[in-house]
PDB file of all heavy atoms in Angstrom:
ATOM      1  N   SER A 484     -14.957  -0.442   2.499  1.00  0.00           N
ATOM      2  CA  SER A 484     -16.042  -1.051   1.717  1.00  0.00           C
ATOM      3  C   SER A 484     -15.528  -1.402   0.318  1.00  0.00           C
ATOM      4  O   SER A 484     -14.489  -0.899  -0.129  1.00  0.00           O
ATOM      5  CB  SER A 484     -17.214  -0.078   1.613  1.00  0.00           C
ATOM      6  OG  SER A 484     -16.835   1.029   0.817  1.00  0.00           O
ATOM      7  N   LYS A 485     -16.285  -2.235  -0.365  1.00  0.00           N
ATOM      8  CA  LYS A 485     -15.970  -2.581  -1.760  1.00  0.00           C
ATOM      9  C   LYS A 485     -15.940  -1.288  -2.616  1.00  0.00           C
ATOM     10  O   LYS A 485     -15.051  -1.100  -3.438  1.00  0.00           O
ATOM     11  CB  LYS A 485     -17.050  -3.546  -2.255  1.00  0.00           C
ATOM     12  CG  LYS A 485     -17.013  -3.835  -3.747  1.00  0.00           C
ATOM     13  CD  LYS A 485     -16.310  -5.116  -4.066  1.00  0.00           C
ATOM     14  CE  LYS A 485     -16.550  -5.495  -5.535  1.00  0.00           C
ATOM     15  NZ  LYS A 485     -15.533  -6.436  -6.011  1.00  0.00           N
ATOM     16  N   ALA A 486     -16.913  -0.396  -2.391  1.00  0.00           N
ATOM     17  CA  ALA A 486     -16.969   0.849  -3.172  1.00  0.00           C
ATOM     18  C   ALA A 486     -15.739   1.724  -2.903  1.00  0.00           C
ATOM     19  O   ALA A 486     -15.195   2.335  -3.832  1.00  0.00           O
ATOM     20  CB  ALA A 486     -18.250   1.623  -2.843  1.00  0.00           C
ATOM     21  N   GLN A 487     -15.289   1.776  -1.658  1.00  0.00           N
ATOM     22  CA  GLN A 487     -14.078   2.552  -1.345  1.00  0.00           C
ATOM     23  C   GLN A 487     -12.850   1.945  -2.029  1.00  0.00           C
ATOM     24  O   GLN A 487     -11.992   2.671  -2.534  1.00  0.00           O
ATOM     25  CB  GLN A 487     -13.848   2.595   0.174  1.00  0.00           C
ATOM     26  CG  GLN A 487     -14.794   3.531   0.903  1.00  0.00           C
ATOM     27  CD  GLN A 487     -14.596   3.468   2.407  1.00  0.00           C
ATOM     28  OE1 GLN A 487     -14.479   2.385   2.999  1.00  0.00           O
ATOM     29  NE2 GLN A 487     -14.537   4.618   3.041  1.00  0.00           N
ATOM     30  N   ALA A 488     -12.791   0.608  -2.056  1.00  0.00           N
ATOM     31  CA  ALA A 488     -11.673  -0.066  -2.733  1.00  0.00           C
ATOM     32  C   ALA A 488     -11.724   0.210  -4.231  1.00  0.00           C
ATOM     33  O   ALA A 488     -10.694   0.445  -4.870  1.00  0.00           O
ATOM     34  CB  ALA A 488     -11.721  -1.569  -2.454  1.00  0.00           C
ATOM     35  N   GLU A 489     -12.916   0.212  -4.810  1.00  0.00           N
ATOM     36  CA  GLU A 489     -13.064   0.480  -6.248  1.00  0.00           C
ATOM     37  C   GLU A 489     -12.606   1.903  -6.586  1.00  0.00           C
ATOM     38  O   GLU A 489     -11.957   2.122  -7.616  1.00  0.00           O
ATOM     39  CB  GLU A 489     -14.521   0.274  -6.674  1.00  0.00           C
ATOM     40  CG  GLU A 489     -14.908  -1.203  -6.718  1.00  0.00           C
ATOM     41  CD  GLU A 489     -16.402  -1.437  -6.894  1.00  0.00           C
ATOM     42  OE1 GLU A 489     -17.202  -0.484  -6.741  1.00  0.00           O
ATOM     43  OE2 GLU A 489     -16.780  -2.594  -7.168  1.00  0.00           O
ATOM     44  N   GLY A 490     -12.929   2.858  -5.730  1.00  0.00           N
ATOM     45  CA  GLY A 490     -12.499   4.242  -5.964  1.00  0.00           C
ATOM     46  C   GLY A 490     -10.982   4.374  -5.872  1.00  0.00           C
ATOM     47  O   GLY A 490     -10.353   5.068  -6.672  1.00  0.00           O
ATOM     48  N   PHE A 491     -10.417   3.681  -4.895  1.00  0.00           N
ATOM     49  CA  PHE A 491      -8.966   3.740  -4.700  1.00  0.00           C
ATOM     50  C   PHE A 491      -8.221   3.136  -5.891  1.00  0.00           C
ATOM     51  O   PHE A 491      -7.220   3.672  -6.354  1.00  0.00           O
ATOM     52  CB  PHE A 491      -8.602   3.005  -3.407  1.00  0.00           C
ATOM     53  CG  PHE A 491      -7.133   2.942  -3.152  1.00  0.00           C
ATOM     54  CD1 PHE A 491      -6.423   4.095  -2.855  1.00  0.00           C
ATOM     55  CD2 PHE A 491      -6.449   1.739  -3.218  1.00  0.00           C
ATOM     56  CE1 PHE A 491      -5.055   4.045  -2.632  1.00  0.00           C
ATOM     57  CE2 PHE A 491      -5.087   1.682  -2.996  1.00  0.00           C
ATOM     58  CZ  PHE A 491      -4.386   2.838  -2.695  1.00  0.00           C
ATOM     59  N   TYR A 492      -8.712   1.994  -6.385  1.00  0.00           N
ATOM     60  CA  TYR A 492      -8.039   1.281  -7.488  1.00  0.00           C
ATOM     61  C   TYR A 492      -8.692   1.580  -8.850  1.00  0.00           C
ATOM     62  O   TYR A 492      -8.582   0.771  -9.775  1.00  0.00           O
ATOM     63  CB  TYR A 492      -8.042  -0.226  -7.216  1.00  0.00           C
ATOM     64  CG  TYR A 492      -6.925  -0.708  -6.309  1.00  0.00           C
ATOM     65  CD1 TYR A 492      -7.204  -1.399  -5.133  1.00  0.00           C
ATOM     66  CD2 TYR A 492      -5.576  -0.499  -6.635  1.00  0.00           C
ATOM     67  CE1 TYR A 492      -6.177  -1.866  -4.310  1.00  0.00           C
ATOM     68  CE2 TYR A 492      -4.553  -0.952  -5.809  1.00  0.00           C
ATOM     69  CZ  TYR A 492      -4.852  -1.634  -4.656  1.00  0.00           C
ATOM     70  OH  TYR A 492      -3.841  -2.095  -3.852  1.00  0.00           O
ATOM     71  N   TYR A 493      -9.325   2.750  -8.948  1.00  0.00           N
ATOM     72  CA  TYR A 493     -10.014   3.189 -10.168  1.00  0.00           C
ATOM     73  C   TYR A 493      -9.177   2.998 -11.442  1.00  0.00           C
ATOM     74  O   TYR A 493      -9.698   2.587 -12.478  1.00  0.00           O
ATOM     75  CB  TYR A 493     -10.355   4.674  -9.967  1.00  0.00           C
ATOM     76  CG  TYR A 493     -11.049   5.351 -11.113  1.00  0.00           C
ATOM     77  CD1 TYR A 493     -12.413   5.150 -11.335  1.00  0.00           C
ATOM     78  CD2 TYR A 493     -10.358   6.226 -11.968  1.00  0.00           C
ATOM     79  CE1 TYR A 493     -13.065   5.797 -12.375  1.00  0.00           C
ATOM     80  CE2 TYR A 493     -11.000   6.870 -13.012  1.00  0.00           C
ATOM     81  CZ  TYR A 493     -12.353   6.646 -13.209  1.00  0.00           C
ATOM     82  OH  TYR A 493     -12.998   7.281 -14.242  1.00  0.00           O
ATOM     83  N   VAL A 494      -7.861   3.273 -11.357  1.00  0.00           N
ATOM     84  CA  VAL A 494      -6.994   3.140 -12.552  1.00  0.00           C
ATOM     85  C   VAL A 494      -6.968   1.707 -13.087  1.00  0.00           C
ATOM     86  O   VAL A 494      -6.646   1.488 -14.244  1.00  0.00           O
ATOM     87  CB  VAL A 494      -5.533   3.596 -12.327  1.00  0.00           C
ATOM     88  CG1 VAL A 494      -5.457   5.089 -12.077  1.00  0.00           C
ATOM     89  CG2 VAL A 494      -4.876   2.822 -11.185  1.00  0.00           C
ATOM     90  N   HIS A 495      -7.311   0.760 -12.239  1.00  0.00           N
ATOM     91  CA  HIS A 495      -7.280  -0.653 -12.649  1.00  0.00           C
ATOM     92  C   HIS A 495      -8.662  -1.187 -13.039  1.00  0.00           C
ATOM     93  O   HIS A 495      -8.840  -2.392 -13.200  1.00  0.00           O
ATOM     94  CB  HIS A 495      -6.724  -1.524 -11.518  1.00  0.00           C
ATOM     95  CG  HIS A 495      -5.281  -1.287 -11.203  1.00  0.00           C
ATOM     96  ND1 HIS A 495      -4.312  -1.180 -12.175  1.00  0.00           N
ATOM     97  CD2 HIS A 495      -4.630  -1.135 -10.011  1.00  0.00           C
ATOM     98  CE1 HIS A 495      -3.132  -0.980 -11.588  1.00  0.00           C
ATOM     99  NE2 HIS A 495      -3.299  -0.925 -10.290  1.00  0.00           N
ATOM    100  N   PHE A 501      -9.688  -6.775 -11.379  1.00  0.00           N
ATOM    101  CA  PHE A 501     -10.272  -5.672 -10.599  1.00  0.00           C
ATOM    102  C   PHE A 501     -11.288  -6.150  -9.556  1.00  0.00           C
ATOM    103  O   PHE A 501     -11.255  -5.722  -8.394  1.00  0.00           O
ATOM    104  CB  PHE A 501     -10.918  -4.657 -11.545  1.00  0.00           C
ATOM    105  CG  PHE A 501     -11.457  -3.429 -10.862  1.00  0.00           C
ATOM    106  CD1 PHE A 501     -10.600  -2.508 -10.274  1.00  0.00           C
ATOM    107  CD2 PHE A 501     -12.822  -3.182 -10.816  1.00  0.00           C
ATOM    108  CE1 PHE A 501     -11.090  -1.362  -9.646  1.00  0.00           C
ATOM    109  CE2 PHE A 501     -13.325  -2.044 -10.191  1.00  0.00           C
ATOM    110  CZ  PHE A 501     -12.459  -1.136  -9.612  1.00  0.00           C
ATOM    111  N   THR A 505     -10.634  -5.855  -5.508  1.00  0.00           N
ATOM    112  CA  THR A 505     -11.443  -4.996  -4.635  1.00  0.00           C
ATOM    113  C   THR A 505     -12.190  -5.825  -3.589  1.00  0.00           C
ATOM    114  O   THR A 505     -12.440  -5.345  -2.484  1.00  0.00           O
ATOM    115  CB  THR A 505     -12.375  -4.097  -5.460  1.00  0.00           C
ATOM    116  OG1 THR A 505     -13.116  -4.908  -6.390  1.00  0.00           O
ATOM    117  CG2 THR A 505     -11.591  -3.052  -6.234  1.00  0.00           C
ATOM    118  N   PHE A 568      -2.929  11.828  -4.861  1.00  0.00           N
ATOM    119  CA  PHE A 568      -4.311  11.347  -4.931  1.00  0.00           C
ATOM    120  C   PHE A 568      -4.611  10.396  -3.774  1.00  0.00           C
ATOM    121  O   PHE A 568      -5.651  10.509  -3.102  1.00  0.00           O
ATOM    122  CB  PHE A 568      -4.572  10.644  -6.274  1.00  0.00           C
ATOM    123  CG  PHE A 568      -5.839   9.821  -6.279  1.00  0.00           C
ATOM    124  CD1 PHE A 568      -7.086  10.435  -6.396  1.00  0.00           C
ATOM    125  CD2 PHE A 568      -5.784   8.435  -6.138  1.00  0.00           C
ATOM    126  CE1 PHE A 568      -8.254   9.670  -6.372  1.00  0.00           C
ATOM    127  CE2 PHE A 568      -6.953   7.662  -6.115  1.00  0.00           C
ATOM    128  CZ  PHE A 568      -8.190   8.278  -6.235  1.00  0.00           C
ATOM    129  N   TYR A 572      -7.175  10.718  -0.676  1.00  0.00           N
ATOM    130  CA  TYR A 572      -8.322   9.801  -0.693  1.00  0.00           C
ATOM    131  C   TYR A 572      -8.616   9.277   0.714  1.00  0.00           C
ATOM    132  O   TYR A 572      -9.777   9.100   1.082  1.00  0.00           O
ATOM    133  CB  TYR A 572      -8.026   8.634  -1.638  1.00  0.00           C
ATOM    134  CG  TYR A 572      -9.211   7.754  -1.954  1.00  0.00           C
ATOM    135  CD1 TYR A 572     -10.120   8.097  -2.961  1.00  0.00           C
ATOM    136  CD2 TYR A 572      -9.427   6.566  -1.255  1.00  0.00           C
ATOM    137  CE1 TYR A 572     -11.208   7.286  -3.249  1.00  0.00           C
ATOM    138  CE2 TYR A 572     -10.513   5.748  -1.546  1.00  0.00           C
ATOM    139  CZ  TYR A 572     -11.401   6.110  -2.539  1.00  0.00           C
ATOM    140  OH  TYR A 572     -12.482   5.304  -2.819  1.00  0.00           O
ATOM    141  N   TRP A 573      -7.577   9.039   1.508  1.00  0.00           N
ATOM    142  CA  TRP A 573      -7.762   8.376   2.807  1.00  0.00           C
ATOM    143  C   TRP A 573      -7.568   9.277   4.014  1.00  0.00           C
ATOM    144  O   TRP A 573      -7.988   8.930   5.114  1.00  0.00           O
ATOM    145  CB  TRP A 573      -6.798   7.190   2.942  1.00  0.00           C
ATOM    146  CG  TRP A 573      -7.058   6.098   1.955  1.00  0.00           C
ATOM    147  CD1 TRP A 573      -6.256   5.728   0.927  1.00  0.00           C
ATOM    148  CD2 TRP A 573      -8.206   5.231   1.895  1.00  0.00           C
ATOM    149  NE1 TRP A 573      -6.832   4.689   0.235  1.00  0.00           N
ATOM    150  CE2 TRP A 573      -8.025   4.369   0.806  1.00  0.00           C
ATOM    151  CE3 TRP A 573      -9.368   5.115   2.663  1.00  0.00           C
ATOM    152  CZ2 TRP A 573      -8.950   3.390   0.449  1.00  0.00           C
ATOM    153  CZ3 TRP A 573     -10.299   4.144   2.326  1.00  0.00           C
ATOM    154  CH2 TRP A 573     -10.077   3.296   1.220  1.00  0.00           C
TER     155      TRP A 573
END
Side-chain angles (χ1 to χ4, degrees):
S484 68
K485 170 98 169 160
Q487 285 176 315
E489 287 170 347
F491 177 68
Y492 277 123
Y493 179 78
V494 294
H495 293 314
F501 184 68
T505 52
F568 165 77
Y572 191 84
W573 296 112

